[in-house]
Amino acid sequence: METPFVFGQQATGEDFTNRSAELAHLETNFTSGVNTILISPRRWGKSSLVKKAAQLTISRNPKLAICFVDLYNVRDEAQFYQQLAHAVINGTTRRIEELLSIVKKHLPRVMPKVSLNTPAGEFELGLQWKDIVRSPDEIIDLPQKIAADRKIKIVICIDEFQNIGSYADSLAMQKKLRSHWQQHKNVSYCLYGSQRHMLTEVFTSMSMPFYQFGEVVFLNKISEADWITFIRTRFSDTGKEIKEDDARLISSLTERHSYYVQQLAQQVWLRTSKKCATTIVHDAFDSLIRQMSLLFIDKTNSLISTQVNFLKAVIDEETHLSSKETIETYQLGSSSNVLRIKDALIRKEILDVEETRLYFLDPLYKQWLIRYYFNK
């Protein structure tokens, strides 16, 4: 029997968990042409949410096309333009004749290599850097030209958008994209990624080109009630039983972190023959933390001593981290050093800030520190 819980890949169909409000919000933005910036920590389900919203939107709007660009392994500006052109053409074109017509009409100075040899029947579009340098504007404006020609709307969804910050002369590239995209009447953009502090700076800092480019949406965690319903339903669908309190325990131990809820639920499901017991949940959680030990050891060894001390202070729920008493107790150096430590741990994606509260992005790492490193 296949496990009813999915993690490490996009959740679809029955594996997708609620988020009805977020789906409705995205669908409204897609159909209304509102640019959307979706921000949340890694593994909270952004990609699954965008894909689900896209499916719903397309099913109800035949004159709308949605194209996906993933920048996870895109290392420079040339690759970005190639991925953009590839996604737009594959998202709006179904026949080789249409592709050739698009290239001839809208990319007259580009001579791409075109092949049709992918398992999904998509077109592979090879662009040379010399062609891209000669006509980046044509590629940037390609979705608008196609949309205007076909009298349709297009939504471009770009995952891991913060990666453009690492490209050479990134600021100039961002200015170029913004200057073109803000003029696109038939195209809107959904930009999302995992590095919250970087994306927040890109879209909310007045000095950045993408300031006020669209609606910034911070994705919240799935509610405990929704997780409880989901976990119990998935157990029931496979002939197993889990009590409400135990399903709540799975949600609580993982702090409603989407990836870890699914992973822990899977481990509990695998250990359950018919009826789950609370001891099974705790045993599965302890086992999961131990499995991650080597990764957590490496992460901790990469930190300097004051950073580790700062994490201890956060775990101890110290609220005045810059006070003289806290600095002396945890050997943090000075109040100015406390700010540097906090900023460094946020950049390393170990901690994040919610309003004024610091919290661990990885709840299992926090538990490993408590149980095995600090021996609390």
Side-chain angles (χ1 to χ4, degrees):
M1 183 186 301
E2 290 187 6
T3 173
F5 299 100
V6 172
F7 60 95
Q9 63 188 64
Q10 289 184 8
T12 59
E14 293 181 343
D15 297 322
F16 188 85
T17 315
N18 200 288
R19 289 210 183 278
S20 55
E22 293 92 335
L23 284 172
H25 192 157
L26 278 182
E27 185 176 358
T28 297
N29 283 8
F30 289 170
T31 56
S32 304
V34 176
N35 295 325
T36 307
I37 296 93
L38 184 62
I39 301 176
S40 82
R42 198 179 304 279
R43 295 177 174 177
W44 278 26
K46 289 181 301 299
S47 298
S48 297
L49 173 63
V50 174
K51 283 288 180 70
K52 181 71 171 181
Q55 292 170 358
L56 291 173
T57 305
I58 292 172
S59 69
R60 296 166 183 163
N61 298 271
K63 298 292 287 183
L64 187 145
I66 300 183
C67 311
F68 293 91
V69 182
D70 188 349
L71 300 186
Y72 180 71
N73 283 319
V74 176
R75 305 299 181 186
D76 55 40
E77 187 174 352
Q79 291 182 13
F80 173 87
Y81 291 130
Q82 180 156 333
Q83 289 297 315
L84 178 62
H86 179 268
V88 171
I89 289 177
N90 273 296
T92 59
T93 306
R94 293 293 176 267
R95 294 180 293 122
I96 191 69
E97 295 83 0
E98 291 178 342
L99 182 148
L100 296 175
S101 175
I102 288 172
V103 171
K104 183 178 180 180
K105 183 175 183 179
H106 300 305
L107 301 174
R109 291 185 292 176
V110 177
M111 299 181 63
K113 295 180 179 178
V114 179
S115 59
L116 181 59
N117 57 2
T118 61
E122 292 185 345
F123 303 111
E124 287 290 345
L125 192 69
L127 300 177
Q128 299 298 317
W129 175 239
K130 62 180 181 179
D131 294 325
I132 294 173
V133 171
R134 190 163 55 238
S135 55
D137 294 354
E138 292 181 358
I139 297 172
I140 298 172
D141 290 333
L142 181 61
Q144 171 59 30
K145 291 176 179 177
I146 293 175
D149 267 3
R150 300 190 177 177
K151 295 180 174 55
I152 62 172
K153 290 183 178 181
I154 296 176
V155 181
I156 308 294
C157 299
I158 305 182
D159 198 357
E160 302 298 351
F161 185 77
Q162 76 279 344
N163 283 1
I164 69 171
S166 64
Y167 300 167
D169 205 1
S170 171
L171 197 59
M173 179 186 175
Q174 290 181 48
K175 290 178 180 177
K176 179 185 288 290
L177 292 176
R178 173 65 188 262
S179 68
H180 283 265
W181 287 357
Q182 67 186 4
Q183 299 179 49
H184 291 176
K185 304 301 183 184
N186 303 81
V187 182
S188 59
Y189 295 84
C190 178
L191 311 175
Y192 50 110
S194 303
Q195 296 183 20
R196 176 171 171 165
H197 68 283
M198 289 181 63
L199 282 170
T200 301
E201 181 180 357
V202 167
F203 293 105
T204 64
S205 172
M206 294 180 64
S207 63
M208 298 299 287
F210 277 99
Y211 175 66
Q212 291 189 335
F213 176 69
E215 181 188 9
V216 178
V217 178
F218 291 97
L219 188 63
N220 294 318
K221 292 180 178 179
I222 295 171
S223 72
E224 180 182 86
D226 286 334
W227 276 127
I228 291 172
T229 299
F230 175 77
I231 293 168
R232 298 194 72 197
T233 299
R234 301 302 272 159
F235 265 74
S236 177
D237 288 346
T238 53
K240 298 185 182 184
E241 180 183 343
I242 184 170
K243 294 179 181 178
E244 181 176 327
D245 285 346
D246 291 329
R248 180 180 290 108
L249 181 60
I250 292 173
S251 173
S252 174
L253 289 172
T254 56
E255 297 182 14
R256 294 185 285 129
H257 187 292
S258 295
Y259 181 93
Y260 286 136
V261 172
Q262 296 264 19
Q263 188 175 19
L264 178 57
Q266 182 203 61
Q267 291 301 310
V268 172
W269 182 87
L270 290 171
R271 287 169 165 80
T272 300
S273 56
K274 279 293 182 182
K275 292 185 178 181
C276 176
T278 304
T279 54
I280 293 177
V281 179
H282 284 294
D283 289 346
F285 188 61
D286 290 340
S287 176
L288 202 54
I289 294 173
R290 290 195 298 272
Q291 288 175 28
M292 305 286 285
S293 287
L294 288 178
L295 175 64
F296 294 154
I297 289 170
D298 288 342
K299 179 181 290 189
T300 308
N301 287 341
S302 72
L303 305 176
I304 59 176
S305 59
T306 51
Q307 291 172 343
V308 175
N309 294 344
F310 189 90
L311 295 180
K312 177 69 161 56
V314 173
I315 287 172
D316 290 344
E317 299 183 354
E318 295 288 349
T319 55
H320 302 289
L321 293 165
S322 296
S323 70
K324 182 179 179 181
E325 181 180 356
T326 302
I327 289 171
E328 289 179 352
T329 300
Y330 294 93
Q331 301 178 15
L332 300 177
S334 64
S335 57
S336 60
N337 195 45
V338 168
L339 293 176
R340 286 193 291 270
I341 294 169
K342 183 181 76 171
D343 290 343
L345 291 171
I346 291 173
R347 286 195 303 273
K348 289 175 178 287
E349 296 186 85
I350 294 176
L351 296 178
D352 205 349
V353 182
E354 186 176 285
E355 296 180 350
T356 60
R357 184 183 70 89
L358 279 171
Y359 69 97
F360 281 78
L361 283 171
D362 189 328
L364 262 67
Y365 180 50
K366 175 185 175 182
Q367 289 300 319
W368 178 83
L369 287 172
I370 292 171
R371 300 180 184 202
Y372 296 102
Y373 193 83
F374 296 127
N375 295 316
K376 288 180 70 66

